[in-house]
């Protein structure tokens, strides 16, 4: 008689607060998925070989548990499954089911829509890991390298979070979709990631910071709408993910801070705007990168009007940002909203029903939020006594999705003929020369306490550790 | 021609009502608010000749005569009078009962003469007042049932040696002529005024919908241009022209009417293969109880789950070995499992279709020993020449066809302890989707045998669908290899993986996934548009060739329902609304 295999210690292997040890379906699903995930991580994750990295691991959702620091080999990172604590009295906050208790199971009626929403969200998580896989090799410091890997493992954990939902609530089709999340790859010819912006490689660290500032912020807003979902497990999953997402944006915000700070230093020291030759990134190049990442991130919010999103709202699947803090009837059946439009070839607005205009509502929240970062960077310039300022380009600038996709517009909002746009766009978007220059600066600095010349060191290290801490042990 | 016209229309309006004929389907859609959705208490389909109000059934030797003599005051619901031998569901329930009993209780009957009990009129079709007061769903279901009964009459003529002969002793218009068209031989009295007609289009702006248009050309081979002319001429066609155009088979002068009908009936009787001295089997009352949330019979139960909008139907297999001889089948009669379960299923289908329109999904399970089901099948197939066995198999075939044309989503759940084998595999093959449990329920009986499905000889020919193909043949239409593979596995008890691989079931979830998959499928189904689902299912269920039956249930019914909803029929100036007012309809002339 063969001895029964000892039951795997799930809470050790996969930290979780979803009673994984009691859920046979989930165990089986994850057992077959996890090896494939690891294979994906090995082949599509960070390329730079490392011994271990000083990482934060979530071991539970409590104040202490969510940020557990220590050196771990990335392959052995414990990708956990965490949902925010359940509120047993939670009720649906919007749409036709407003006031009803939230759902603990997927209603058959909304299965397809919910699955689609989760798959689209889930698809972006591993995508950014893939986009950033080569960046480790050019990290400006061990501190930055560690932040990159932290973002990467957490995106991996967010993938786990979405896969958990697919496995736990969507049966066989959910398992198939979870598998597909590993088979689509960023930039792949045959099976690219679902959203276009996630198929561009992140070629340099300025792009990485801009990406984590602007594009991860789109993720924040998407998660924020899903956090309102009537499907409670999705809501709780997203609520916890938002905590980690804010760290990613911190990496972006402070990253750009430090680039601006360094550029300002060089400008003052050498009394010139052209710091390119001095090993820095000129302010106008930073502005061009900002223009690019901001405008493609605006595209991620979709068209100004969307009947899908209206349906999601009415069904209770996806709410608005800060839904519960808004003072209206949360059904919106009789309301209207002005949305961007091209009217007689000019930039204008048009009135649509509030439900179909929800994408515009979310994009506006996002734009407001983006402005905060710009203000912050401008304070650095101001404190340095420099007159130059960064700014967000016009909403219509460089758009490929939505009302403005058919027109060409300067960052100031002036509509241009296509030929003129072609001729002048190099002044507003990174040119090959700009990109080559930025890439030329991307020399790795892997020595403790040292940092590349194009970026200032951070004010603080991680978890109270100094900047010169050994955040990463290279292999 | 003008004289005939006056006569026909005069007959109609002279009665002071809109009682003229429309095919069962020729139902005027009343656009005013419809207050009466049909009877409030459940309609029952069980009756007996001793309780008929609208028909007389008399049997003399090999000849049975079914005389339609509708009680004007005998409508199923108040609010209309059944004038001119027009009919409603109650009239047709009796007709169906008679057709069934003739087959089982009267093996000696070889010809069934269908005639009218009124002067000058055979039958004016479905009652228009009744139709006008009914909901759309009621009308469509009513048409379906009347169509099925007419198909059953043709089935008796074709396969039971019980030939239906229409003896039209007066005008047969609309649904009345359609009833005649379901007979194999049509005799029309030649009194220079009686005619056959399909006046729905010219008088009501709709179509005859109980198979009339289809049978005129497809069955009786009336030339299409003549059929076109006939169907636009409200007074119809009588006399020799009706014979020349093949609308009827013969016209008989009034003085020689009875004698000729008797002669013709005797002729048909002579060619029948029905037995000489057989004893019929009484169709005893069904053992049926119905509560608000449950319909139960001896072998079939349905739990009515109004919250989820579904009926959970369980069919129980035989609990004992079949009789060893065919004599045992006769001895058991209505208790014989296959006959009993078929009658119960038939009654349940009719009940749920008519009374439970909001239970949009039927979840089908079986319970029992598949080997016993196959043993009953084998007994039946070994004695296919026996008249009673033949009737039982034909009845099972017709009942399964009812399932095929039922406008409900059908989901078969194949679980341990089920008996989806042979004849009881057919309901799963009739389903829109099937789920077979892979393995067993671990929290139930972990030692249970896994669920299986078994293809048997009953699946390979004796129970064709309306399209003339087996359900397997339809399922694998255009995929001869798949059909051959399924057939080659006949007799094997196939567990979920094999059944899924062979395409016999849709999905094979295991214990862990089962509950959620099934729940979501049912919930999702309940969320879709019932109309779109009906259309989807009706299209996918009938792959393969068209037949008279598929045309009637598909093409004719769909066109008819479309026309009803159009303003030209049911709008304020539409033909249905203007009929009987003396005003002309004002049509929107645009073709669509």
């Amino acid at each position: 008689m063969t001895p029964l295999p000892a039951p795997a210690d799930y809470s050790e292997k996969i930290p979780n607060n979803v009673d994984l040890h009691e859920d046979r379906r989930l165990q089986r699903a994850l057992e077959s998925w996890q090896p494939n995930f690891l294979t994906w991580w090995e082949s599509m994750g960070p390329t730079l070989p490392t011994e271990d990295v000083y990482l934060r691991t979530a071991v539970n959702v409590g104040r202490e548990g969510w940020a557990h620091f220590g050196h771990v080999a990335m392959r052995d990172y414990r990708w956990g499954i965490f949902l925010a604590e359940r509120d047993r009295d939670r009720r649906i906050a919007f749409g036709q089911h407003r006031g009803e208790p939230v759902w603990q199971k997927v209603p058959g009626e909304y299965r397809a829509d919910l699955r689609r929403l989760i798959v689209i969200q889930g698809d972006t998580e591993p995508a950014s890991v893939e986009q950033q896989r080569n960046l480790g090799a050019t990290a400006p410091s061990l501190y930055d390298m560690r932040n990159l890997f932290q973002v990467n493992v957490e995106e991996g954990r967010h993938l786990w979070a979405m896969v958990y939902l697919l496995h736990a609530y969507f049966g066989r089709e959910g398992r198939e979709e979870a598998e597909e999340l590993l088979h689509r790859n960023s930039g792949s010819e045959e099976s690219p990631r679902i959203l276009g912006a996630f198929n561009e490689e992140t070629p340099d660290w300025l792009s990485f910071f801009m990406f984590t500032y602007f594009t991860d912020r789109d993720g924040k807003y998407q998660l924020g709408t899903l956090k309102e979902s009537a499907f409670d497990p999705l809501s709780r999953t997203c609520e916890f993910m938002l905590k980690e997402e804010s760290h990613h944006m911190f990496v972006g915000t402070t990253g750009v801070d430090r680039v601006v700070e360094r550029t300002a230093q060089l400008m003052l020291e050498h009394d010139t705007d052209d710091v390119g030759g001095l090993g820095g990134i000129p302010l106008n190049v930073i502005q061009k990168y900002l223009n690019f990442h901001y405008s493609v991130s605006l595209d991620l919010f979709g068209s100004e009007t969307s009947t899908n999103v209206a349906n999601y709202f009415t069904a209770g699947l996806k709410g608005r940002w800060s839904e519960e803090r808004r003072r209206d009837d949360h059904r919106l059946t009789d309301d209207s909203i002005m949305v961007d439009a091209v009217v007689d070839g000019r930039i204008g607005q048009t009135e649509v029903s509030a439900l179909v205009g929800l994408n515009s509502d979310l994009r506006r929240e996002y734009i407001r939020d983006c402005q905060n970062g710009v203000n912050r960077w401008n304070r650095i310039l101001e404190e340095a006594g420099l007159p130059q300022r960064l700014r967000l380009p016009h909403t219509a600038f460089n758009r490929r999705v939505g009302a403005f996709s058919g027109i060409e517009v300067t960052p100031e909002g002036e509509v241009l003929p296509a030929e003129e746009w072609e001729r002048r766009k190099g002044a507003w978007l990174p040119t090959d020369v700009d990109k080559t220059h930025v890439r030329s600066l991307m020399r790795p600095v892997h020595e403790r306490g040292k940092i590349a010349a194009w970026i200032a060191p951070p004010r603080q290290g991680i978890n109270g550790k100094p900047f010169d801490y050994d955040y990463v042990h290279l292999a | 021609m003008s004289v005939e016209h006056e006569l026909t229309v005069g007959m109609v309006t002279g009665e002071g009502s809109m009682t003229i004929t429309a095919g069962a389907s020729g139902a005027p859609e009343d656009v005013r608010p419809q207050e009466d959705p049909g009877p409030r208490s459940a309609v029952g389909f069980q009756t007996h000749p001793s309780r008929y109000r609208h028909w007389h059934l008399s049997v003399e030797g090999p000849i049975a005569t079914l005389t339609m003599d509708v009680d004007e005051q005998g409508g199923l619901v108040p609010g209309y009078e059944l004038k001119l031998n027009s009919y409603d569901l109650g009239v047709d329930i009796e007709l169906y009962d008679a057709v069934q009993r003739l087959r089982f209780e009267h093996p000696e009957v070889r010809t069934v003469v269908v005639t009218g009990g009124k002067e000058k009129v055979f039958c004016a079709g479905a009652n228009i007042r009744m139709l006008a007061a009914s909901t759309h769903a009621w009308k469509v279901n009513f048409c379906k049932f009347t169509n099925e009964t007419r198909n059953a009459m043709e089935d008796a003529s074709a396969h039971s040696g019980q030939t239906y002969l229409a003896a039209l002793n007066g005008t047969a218009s609309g649904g009345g002529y359609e009833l005649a068209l379901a007979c194999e031989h049509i005799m029309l009295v030649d009194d220079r005024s009686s005619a056959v007609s399909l006046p729905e289009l010219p008088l009501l702006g709709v179509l005859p919908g109980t198979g009339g248009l289809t049978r005129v050309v497809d069955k009786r081979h009336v030339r299409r241009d003549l059929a076109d002319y006939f169907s636009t001429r409200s007074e119809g066609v009588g006399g020799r022209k009706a014979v020349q155009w093949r609308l009827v088979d013969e016209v008989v002068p009034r003085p020689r009417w009875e004698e000729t009908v008797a002669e013709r009936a005797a002729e048909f009787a002579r060619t029948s293969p029905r037995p000489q001295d057989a004893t019929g089997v009484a169709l005893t009352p069904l053992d049926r109880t119905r509560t608000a949330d449950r319909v139960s019979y001896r072998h079939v139960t349905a739990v009515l789950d109004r919250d989820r909008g579904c009926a959970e139907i369980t069919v129980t297999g035989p609990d004992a070995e079949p009789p060893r001889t065919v004599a045992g089948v006769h001895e058991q009669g209505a208790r014989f499992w296959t006959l009993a379960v078929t009658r119960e299923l038939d009654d349940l289908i009719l009940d749920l279709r008519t009374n439970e329109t909001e239970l949009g999904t039927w979840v089908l399970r079986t319970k029992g020993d598949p080997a016993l089901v196959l043993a009953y099948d084998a007994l039946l197939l070994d004695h296919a020449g026996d008249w009673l066995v033949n009737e039982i198999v034909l009845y099972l075939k017709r009942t399964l066809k009812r399932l095929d044309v039922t406008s409900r989503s059908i989901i078969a759940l194949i679980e341990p302890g089920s008996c989806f084998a042979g004849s009881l595999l057919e309901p799963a093959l009739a389903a829109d989707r099937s789920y077979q449990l892979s393995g067993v329920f671990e929290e139930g009986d972990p030692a249970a045998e896994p669920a299986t499905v078994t293809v048997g000889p009953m699946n390979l020919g004796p129970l064709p669908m309306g399209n003339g193909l087996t359900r397997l043949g339809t399922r694998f239409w255009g995929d001869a290899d798949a059909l051959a593979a399924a057939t080659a596995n006949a007799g094997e008890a196939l567990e979920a993986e094999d059944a899924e691989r062979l395409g016999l079931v849709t999905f094979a979830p295991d214990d862990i996934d089962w509950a959620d998959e099934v729940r979501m499928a049912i919930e999702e189904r309940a969320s879709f548009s019932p109309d779109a689902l009906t259309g989807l299912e009706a299209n996918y269920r009938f792959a393969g060739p068209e037949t008279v039956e598929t045309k009637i249930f598909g093409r004719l019914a769909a066109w008819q329902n479309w026309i009803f909803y159009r303003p030209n029929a049911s709008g304020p100036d539409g033909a249905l609304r203007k009929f009987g007012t003396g005003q002309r309809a004002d049509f929107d002339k645009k073709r669509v």
Side-chain angles (χ1 to χ4, degrees), chain A residues 290-299 393 397-399 429:
Chain A
L290 184 159
N291 289 350
F292 174 76
H293 285 274
Y294 174 70
S295 56
V296 299
S297 297
L298 287 181
D299 279 348
F397 171 79
N398 191 39
R399 295 292 301 282
L429 290 171

Side-chain angles (χ1 to χ4, degrees), chain B residues 36-356:
Chain B
D36 191 351
R40 287 188 180 46
S41 57
V43 174
F45 287 79
Q46 296 298 299
T47 186
H48 187 270
S50 62
R51 301 202 296 276
Y52 290 173
R53 295 186 68 175
H54 311 294
W55 294 87
H56 308 297
L57 173 58
S58 64
V59 175
E60 280 179 51
I63 316 291
T65 304
L66 254 177
T67 307
M68 187 182 204
D69 191 7
V70 176
D71 175 356
E72 286 190 5
Q73 305 305 319
L76 195 59
V77 288
Y80 52 85
E81 293 178 336
L82 295 172
K83 293 189 176 185
L84 292 169
N85 253 3
S86 62
Y87 58 84
D88 70 354
L89 180 61
V91 177
D92 234 66
I93 287 173
E94 290 181 7
L95 174 61
Y96 176 53
D97 183 75
V99 172
Q100 281 294 95
R101 286 183 195 279
L102 281 166
R103 298 178 81 157
F104 284 96
E105 299 186 349
H106 296 282
E108 77 280 12
V109 168
R110 298 160 164 239
T111 306
V112 181
V113 177
V114 180
T115 192
K118 310 279 189 210
E119 283 295 309
K120 297 232 170 199
V121 57
F122 165 69
C123 169
N127 185 278
I128 288 188
R129 281 265 164 102
M130 175 277 293
L131 291 168
S134 304
T135 61
H136 188 70
W138 176 269
K139 280 181 294 207
V140 171
N141 182 58
F142 165 68
C143 293
K144 190 170 288 171
F145 176 70
T146 55
N147 268 317
E148 287 170 326
T149 302
R150 280 136 195 81
N151 289 344
M153 290 162 56
E154 290 187 329
D155 184 59
S157 297
H159 303 295
S160 288
Q162 211 165 56
T163 304
Y164 276 74
L165 188 161
L168 309 181
N169 57 317
T171 289
S173 47
Y177 178 49
E178 290 180 299
L179 180 60
L181 285 168
C183 299
E184 293 321 290
H185 189 80
I186 304 177
M187 306 171 76
L188 173 64
V189 68
D190 190 4
D191 57 4
R192 300 198 168 270
S193 68
S194 292
V196 295
S197 67
L198 293 175
E200 285 84 350
L201 185 140
L203 287 187
L204 302 170
V206 297
L207 299 182
T210 322
L213 299 185
T214 313
R215 287 198 176 93
V216 162
V217 284
D218 276 79
K219 180 181 180 183
R220 299 200 57 90
H221 308 133
V222 176
R223 220 174 65 208
R224 54 164 284 199
D225 51 344
L226 298 177
D228 175 289
Y229 177 71
F230 168 65
S231 304
T232 56
R233 192 179 140 98
S234 59
E235 70 275 30
V237 174
R240 280 190 326 161
K241 193 188 280 176
V243 178
Q244 281 166 7
W245 290 7
R246 299 202 189 112
L247 293 165
V248 303
D249 293 288
E250 56 183 315
V251 286
V252 182
R254 189 169 280 283
R256 288 189 27 230
W257 176 248
E258 286 185 12
E259 163 199 350
T260 315
V261 169
E263 262 172 38
R264 210 62 76 234
E267 276 169 33
F268 280 108
R270 275 196 291 279
T271 61
S272 166
R274 297 254 316 171
Q276 291 291 353
D277 303 313
T279 310
V281 163
L283 297 179
T284 51
L286 293 176
D287 176 11
R288 169 181 194 272
T289 54
R290 197 184 202 288
T291 62
D293 57 5
R294 196 179 180 86
V295 189
S296 337
Y297 307 82
R298 191 160 142 50
H299 307 284
V300 178
T301 56
V303 176
L304 315 180
D305 186 338
R306 296 177 205 286
D307 290 339
R308 290 195 302 149
C310 73
E312 305 221 30
I313 299 169
T314 304
V315 179
T316 312
D319 52 14
E321 292 285 337
R324 271 193 298 275
T325 62
V326 72
V329 179
H330 286 258
E331 198 185 303
Q332 290 187 4
R335 286 178 294 118
F336 180 73
W337 176 78
T338 312
L339 178 53
V341 79
T342 303
R343 289 184 69 203
E344 294 175 0
L345 193 58
D346 189 23
D347 190 65
L348 179 70
I349 293 170
L350 294 174
D351 180 330
L352 295 182
R353 282 198 327 204
T354 305
N355 299 309
E356 303 292 348

Side-chain angles (χ1 to χ4, degrees), chain A residues 269-375:
Chain A
E269 277 170 27
H270 299 272
D271 191 21
T272 174
D273 287 355
D274 185 14
V275 300
L278 304 166
I281 303 175
L283 214 47
N284 74 326
V285 175
I286 297 175
Q287 178 69 54
K288 290 184 192 179
Y289 271 65
L290 184 159
N291 289 350
F292 174 76
H293 285 274
Y294 174 70
S295 56
V296 299
S297 297
L298 287 181
D299 279 348
L300 288 173
F301 289 83
S303 299
E304 280 65 23
T305 60
S306 163
T307 49
N308 275 345
V309 174
N311 292 339
Y312 294 156
F313 183 85
T314 300
L317 312 183
K318 194 175 173 192
R320 286 171 295 171
W321 181 255
S322 299
E323 182 68 48
E324 286 172 66
R325 271 186 268 151
R326 299 196 185 213
R327 294 206 189 118
D328 53 31
D329 71 352
H330 299 275
R331 291 181 201 269
L332 307 182
T333 44
D334 302 320
D335 298 345
S336 63
I337 184 178
M338 299 300 291
V339 300
D340 292 335
V342 175
V343 183
D344 300 330
R346 276 198 293 260
I347 293 170
Q349 291 206 318
T350 177
E351 186 172 2
V352 299
S353 84
L355 282 172
V356 270
L358 284 171
N359 276 346
S360 296
D361 179 86
L362 190 64
R363 181 156 36 221
R364 278 175 201 156
E365 295 286 339
Y366 168 82
I367 290 170
R368 245 194 303 275
D369 195 5
C370 287
Q371 184 62 46
N372 294 333
V374 177
N375 294 346

Side-chain angles (χ1 to χ4, degrees), chain A residues 3-249:
Chain A
L4 290 169
D9 183 350
Y10 285 101
S11 47
E12 180 54 31
K13 228 162 74 182
I14 305 171
N16 71 89
N17 68 343
V18 295
D19 292 333
L20 180 53
H21 62 286
E22 287 174 3
D23 190 332
R24 285 187 303 135
R25 166 164 35 173
L26 199 51
Q27 285 169 20
R28 182 188 60 180
L30 288 175
E31 272 165 19
S32 67
W33 187 78
Q34 192 193 26
N36 295 338
F37 170 79
L38 288 176
T39 307
W40 168 81
W41 180 264
E42 294 286 293
S43 62
M44 297 305 295
T47 50
L48 185 74
T50 52
E51 204 65 64
D52 57 31
V53 183
Y54 187 68
L55 291 174
R56 178 181 61 234
T57 306
V59 293
N60 67 55
V61 293
R63 193 178 287 272
E64 258 91 79
W66 90 276
H68 205 86
F69 286 90
H71 280 100
V72 283
M74 272 196 288
R75 193 182 199 286
D76 300 331
Y77 187 77
R78 295 190 304 154
W79 282 281
I81 300 169
F82 293 102
L83 278 64
E85 293 292 349
R86 179 170 165 193
D87 169 2
R88 295 195 174 266
D89 299 323
R90 185 171 171 250
R91 287 182 177 264
I92 300 169
F94 60 95
Q96 65 180 11
H97 301 292
R98 176 170 154 78
E100 297 170 19
V102 291
W103 313 318
Q104 299 305 327
K105 290 195 290 187
V106 175
E109 182 173 352
Y110 302 129
R111 159 165 69 174
D113 284 342
L114 276 170
R115 196 182 60 221
R116 184 78 190 146
L117 284 171
I118 291 170
V119 165
I120 289 179
Q121 183 62 40
D123 195 64
T124 65
E125 311 291 355
S128 62
V129 176
E130 294 163 357
Q131 290 174 290
Q132 297 159 8
R133 62 190 306 246
N134 293 319
L135 283 178
T138 56
S141 71
L142 290 181
Y143 165 89
D144 288 293
M145 186 190 288
R146 177 266 162 204
N147 281 348
L148 168 72
F149 292 151
Q150 182 72 52
V151 169
N152 289 166
V153 292
E154 278 170 357
E155 298 295 5
R157 205 199 67 72
H158 292 179
L159 171 62
W160 273 77
M162 292 296 125
V163 165
Y164 157 71
L165 292 172
L166 291 171
H167 280 176
Y169 296 97
F170 294 88
R172 178 184 45 81
E173 288 175 330
R175 290 197 295 276
E176 288 167 9
E177 291 286 7
E179 199 60 39
E180 290 303 310
L181 289 174
L182 298 176
H183 293 312
R184 280 186 295 268
N185 290 137
S186 179
S188 155
E189 272 290 304
E190 326 68 272
S191 51
R193 291 291 171 189
I194 296 169
L195 298 176
F198 291 89
N199 285 306
E200 305 288 338
E201 197 193 343
T202 308
D204 58 65
W205 280 78
L206 182 57
S207 298
F208 171 65
F209 293 137
M210 291 292 179
F211 183 94
T212 42
Y213 187 82
F214 288 108
T215 306
D216 280 336
R217 192 168 308 269
D218 158 73
K220 165 184 160 182
Y221 280 84
Q222 299 301 338
L223 289 174
T225 61
L226 295 175
K227 183 180 80 106
E228 304 294 335
S229 181
F231 177 43
D232 203 38
L234 174 61
S235 162
R236 293 162 57 208
T237 298
C238 291
E239 190 177 339
F240 188 72
M241 286 163 73
L242 276 167
K243 235 180 211 184
E244 292 166 327
E245 204 69 30
S246 70
H247 174 263
H248 303 179
M249 285 173 295

